[in-house]
Amino acid sequence: EIVAWLLSKERDTQYTVYVENTLEKNVKFDAQELVSNDPTNVGRLKFWTNELCAKHPQTFDFAITLGGDGTILYASWLFQRVVPPIFSFALGSLGFLTKFDFADYKNTLTSAFRDGITVSLRLRFEATVMRTQNLERPEGHDLVDELVGAESDNKFTHKPDGSHEILNDIVVDRGPNPTMSSIELLGDSIHYTSIQADGICVATPTGSTAYNLAAGGALCHPENPIILVTAICAHTLSFRPIILPDTIVLRVGVPYDARTSSWASFDGRQRIELHPGDYVTISASRYPFPNVMPQGSRSEDWISSISRTLNWNSRQKQKSFKEWEEQNAAVKSPRT
């Protein structure tokens, strides 16, 4: 429906519309009929692949998602560098990020094409997996000393094994292991703490309403330039969630003497094993996520979304003394 509307002769501009390549042969989508209905549609209906999004993001002026927040996370995963503005139409159940009602997509898009758009540049993280190299190390060698010392001595003790652009969170946890994870947390060249827990969640402000919130972390307005660090079922009652500036480079690693390996996931995808000595660097990305916003106050939109989806601080209003006295008098008065 939306593709047919964009390709229609009624549009002032002849748009080229890219659709996911899995729909090219889809019977319900019926790409052949869309083209045959209007000869001018030939060459204007194309199909994107994951490779096209990753290597040539400049091909797209904007992208439209139909679904829930998971669909937006998928769009972020597709565009691992530059991201086009994202129009998010809600078809899901919650929808912190889906800002527009699909039933009104014609008016929304027409207004955007005519008047322009406002975007919220959501902070993303760049996460790089670092693998320990097979070097001769003395017995009792410590990961923390190695990382801090490697910076000062310019030694290459680890090598990169892939980077990911993250919109929500990076989670390092115990995975299928029955015991707790042992995790070292460093910020820049400072050792913050050693963690015994089921895991640790490092979230963006956008991801503050996801796993971070379930683990006891704080809600955060998406325009704050911060990093949220929350332990998952920590073995100490004193481990409270912390909020750090996005200028810090975090490193989350598995110590050499850990009993088991840990597992890392990036926006809930690409789950990989971290062996003792491996770590993940987490820093603010150069490539933010431009989420198209409705016209109006951004703060009002965010407050409305957490009130609508989480029933944030929702409770029955406390009665005034006057209301209570009137109600109490009505109960005590004799019936006529």
Side-chain angles (χ1 to χ4, degrees), residues 26-248:
N26 187 283
V27 177
K28 290 184 178 180
F29 182 70
D30 201 355
Q32 199 65 35
E33 183 180 353
L34 284 171
V35 174
S36 60
N37 285 343
D38 187 349
T40 62
N41 291 347
V42 176
R44 293 201 295 128
L45 177 60
K46 299 182 179 181
F47 299 90
W48 58 261
T49 62
N50 292 8
E51 184 179 7
L52 178 64
C53 295
K55 294 184 177 181
H56 303 285
Q58 69 279 4
T59 303
F60 311 99
D61 294 315
F62 64 91
I64 297 175
T65 66
L66 307 175
D69 288 350
T71 309
I72 294 181
L73 291 177
Y74 177 57
S76 174
W77 188 260
L78 287 172
F79 295 100
Q80 283 291 294
R81 290 294 182 264
V82 178
V83 186
I86 304 293
F87 279 95
S88 52
F89 289 97
L91 292 176
S93 54
L94 277 179
F96 289 102
L97 297 172
T98 48
K99 301 300 182 182
F100 301 101
D101 184 5
F102 178 72
D104 196 37
Y105 76 86
K106 295 180 181 179
N107 291 331
T108 300
L109 293 177
T110 299
S111 175
F113 297 156
R114 182 186 64 243
D115 304 326
I117 59 174
T118 300
V119 299
S120 171
L121 291 177
R122 300 295 183 101
L123 170 68
R124 293 203 296 178
F125 291 157
E126 181 178 336
T128 303
V129 178
M130 302 295 291
R131 299 292 188 185
T132 183
Q133 299 195 61
N134 295 323
L135 303 175
E136 290 188 7
R137 294 179 172 88
E139 187 176 348
H141 191 69
D142 183 70
L143 177 64
V144 174
D145 291 339
E146 181 175 90
L147 293 183
V148 175
E151 284 190 346
S152 59
D153 299 338
N154 198 27
K155 294 179 180 178
F156 299 101
T157 57
H158 293 74
K159 60 181 179 180
D161 185 29
S163 294
H164 309 284
E165 301 292 321
I166 307 304
L167 180 59
N168 254 11
D169 50 44
I170 298 99
V171 175
V172 177
D173 59 34
R174 62 189 177 95
N177 299 316
T179 58
M180 293 183 297
S181 287
S182 295
I183 299 170
E184 301 289 358
L185 178 65
L186 298 92
D188 293 335
S189 58
I190 301 172
H191 178 232
Y192 284 176
T193 188
S194 299
I195 303 167
Q196 297 287 322
D198 278 356
I200 185 173
C201 175
V202 181
T204 66
T206 296
S208 70
T209 54
Y211 200 167
N212 166 78
L213 182 62
L219 287 170
C220 176
H221 192 282
E223 293 188 8
N224 285 317
I226 61 172
I227 301 172
L228 297 99
V229 180
T230 305
I232 304 168
C233 297
H235 198 243
T236 59
L237 293 176
S238 60
F239 195 115
R240 298 294 90 195
I242 58 174
I243 297 175
L244 303 169
D246 68 349
T247 53
I248 288 177

Side-chain angles (χ1 to χ4, degrees), residues 247-261:
T247 53
I248 288 177
V249 178
L250 287 181
R251 283 178 287 184
V252 180
V254 182
Y256 285 107
D257 59 356
R259 294 183 178 182
T260 61
S261 60

